[in-house]
Amino acid sequence: MKYSLFIGRWQPWHDGHRWLIDQQLNKGKNVWLAIRNVPTDKNNPFTPKQVLDNLTKELIDLIQEGRIMISIIPDIDSVNYGRGVGYEIIEHVPPTEINEISATKIREQLRNEGKL
């Protein structure tokens, strides 16, 4: 079974992330969410395990259907490929309202509300 791979921190999961993966899910593709194993800090308030738990809670139905799988991967420096590798590199350009979603602003709001 093939998957469309999305690599990210997902700190926190938001509607922009959902829009992004929906681009492939809506084409009938399966999605693999790879969580970068980054240390916690101001921009990464959640541990990779907490992110995994959050994504699992948010996407449980799709996980149970086998449409989404999630795993923690080592932090990466770059994504590399050679010619004729058997898969596509696809950029999804979001509409303005999705592009304006900011995880930084969401984290700031969560801090202001005492949730972080």
Side-chain angles (χ1 to χ4, degrees):
M1 182 175 294
K2 290 189 175 187
Y3 286 83
S4 296
L5 173 63
F6 292 89
I7 303 168
R9 295 174 299 134
W10 320 109
Q11 298 261 354
W13 179 259
H14 56 68
D15 289 342
H17 295 139
R18 182 57 198 247
W19 177 90
L20 182 62
I21 70 165
D22 279 348
Q23 302 314 295
Q24 292 301 92
L25 289 170
N26 292 339
K27 294 178 185 175
K29 307 281 186 171
N30 296 314
V31 168
W32 173 15
L33 296 177
I35 303 164
R36 291 173 46 208
N37 189 354
V38 296
T40 56
D41 60 22
K42 183 179 179 183
N43 293 322
N44 302 292
F46 305 106
T47 67
K49 173 70 168 95
Q50 288 172 313
V51 173
L52 177 64
D53 292 345
N54 290 340
L55 293 178
T56 299
K57 180 180 169 188
E58 191 71 31
L59 302 167
I60 190 66
D61 293 342
L62 291 165
I63 293 167
Q64 290 173 341
E65 291 172 18
R67 301 284 319 279
I68 290 183
M69 73 177 212
I70 307 169
S71 59
I72 298 170
I73 62 170
D75 196 9
I76 59 169
D77 181 58
S78 61
V79 175
N80 304 269
Y81 68 97
R83 62 184 174 93
V85 294
Y87 56 83
E88 298 178 75
I89 306 294
I90 301 170
E91 178 182 9
H92 298 283
V93 180
T96 303
E97 68 274 7
I98 297 298
N99 194 48
E100 291 176 354
I101 297 172
S102 166
T104 301
K105 289 179 184 175
I106 293 170
R107 288 189 298 271
E108 185 177 307
Q109 180 179 349
L110 290 172
R111 279 189 200 92
N112 291 338
E113 294 171 356
K115 295 180 181 176
L116 276 184

